[in-house]
Each structure stands twice: as C-alpha cells, then as structure tokens.
Amino acid sequence: PDAQAGLIIEVHRAAGVSPDTIDYVEAHGPGTPLGDPIEIAGLKQAFAALHTQAGTEPSPGSCGIGAVKTNIGHLEGAAGVAGIVKVLAALRHGRFPANVGFANLNRLIDLQGTDFRIQVESSDWSQNDQPRRACGSSFGFGGSNAHVLLEDAPSAAVQADAQNLPVLLPLSAPDEERLHVLADNL
C-alpha cells in the first residue's frame, strides 16, 4: 500500500488535481481476500495525504470505486487498458458502471471517513462546474504499479479556441531509423 499511495500522490500532485475533484476510481480489484484490502489501504492513505495537502476534507460516498474485472474477468496484462477503456466509456455516456455481482464488502475493508463508496449499481454521473474526473490503478505480476488520471474532454468552445495551437502527435516505431521514415512521411 505504501508504494501505491506514493505513486497516487505523485501523479495527483504533478497534475495539480485535488482529491475532492475525483468522482470515480477504477481499481485494479483482483477480487482476492488480501489484494483488495491492500489496494484500498493505498487509496485511503494517498487520498488522506492529498486532502491534508489541499486543505480539504473527505466527503463520504462522493467517489465510487469499481473494477472492470467484475464485468469481463481478469485480463492479465491487459487489465489496466481495459480499466481505462471502461472509464472512457463511463465519461462518454455519463454513467458510473456497476460492480457486477457485488454482494458483500470484504471484512478487511473499512471505507468510513473516506470519500469512497463501492459502486454497487449503475448510476448517472452528473456534470457540475468542473470536469468529471476519474483515476485508475493497475498492477503487474512483476511488481509494476501504474496510476492514471482521466477527465472529460474540453467543451467544443474550448476546442475551437485551441485550433491555432501546436499539436502533439506521438509516434512509435521499432527503431530510430523507422521513426525518422515515419516522421518524414507525415
């Protein structure tokens, strides 16, 4: 949990995102008796530190927690990407997805005094004066730990203002020579 909390804190600080602006967490959620409580402990530790830094207080039940594994099972190395796709679909449709088959909270998990709630049922994801935001975590067998922040796309008016700005276009190639060829073709 300490490594996970450290990464979450680092990502949120770098993005300048306060924990009270996060509406949803897409957890890795391995569904194991010990793995889920460890992940939740890391989230709780990180959000508590971020609240202290931001001078904010947790708002009980304001942030849903879900895991794509309840929808489609464990995808090994693709679990993190599947979680991101799930969050992007939720943002697009304005709905929090349910945790399919959720019945009982693990007795080792205590969400009291936190922002978190288990997203038991699908519900509307309302839009207010700030963008809807979610974060997601994923872990690998080798000890890798990833965390990402996602938010609504800017409105059409904001996009129109950005038409004359430079565009970042990531390119990928198997080696530097092929990368130059690809760039020249553009």
Side-chain angles (χ1 to χ4, degrees), residues 80-179:
V81 172
I84 289 173
V85 170
K86 178 183 168 189
V87 171
L88 292 174
L91 284 166
R92 168 73 171 89
H93 296 288
R95 292 198 56 82
F96 292 113
N99 278 303
V100 177
F102 179 82
N104 297 307
L105 186 61
N106 183 319
R107 64 180 175 77
L108 299 176
I109 295 175
D110 180 9
L111 299 177
Q112 289 186 15
T114 73
D115 297 297
F116 306 121
R117 70 176 186 282
I118 303 300
Q119 191 65 41
V120 178
E121 297 178 355
S122 180
S123 63
D124 287 334
W125 189 345
S126 61
Q127 183 130 21
N128 50 30
D129 58 347
Q130 68 183 18
R132 293 178 296 196
R133 287 194 179 121
C135 60
S137 295
S138 188
F139 312 105
F141 287 123
S144 62
N145 188 351
H147 187 77
V148 64
L149 281 167
L150 301 165
E151 75 177 31
D152 272 332
S155 69
V158 172
Q159 290 175 1
D161 291 342
Q163 287 182 2
N164 294 325
L165 297 176
V167 175
L168 177 64
L169 180 62
L171 301 176
S172 177
D175 56 48
E176 192 169 342
E177 181 182 337
R178 297 300 308 153
L179 184 61

Side-chain angles (χ1 to χ4, degrees), residues 1 4 25-43 65-77 79-80 83 86 99-100 102 104-106 108-109 118 136-141 144-146:
Q4 179 193 7
V25 174
E26 178 63 24
H28 184 74
T32 61
L34 189 56
D36 288 350
I38 289 172
E39 182 174 12
I40 296 298
L43 282 164
I65 295 180
V68 72
K69 290 174 185 73
T70 68
N71 302 93
I72 57 178
H74 200 303
L75 302 171
E76 304 297 331
K86 178 183 168 189
N99 278 303
V100 177
F102 179 82
N104 297 307
L105 186 61
N106 183 319
L108 299 176
I109 295 175
I118 303 300
S137 295
S138 188
F139 312 105
F141 287 123
S144 62
N145 188 351

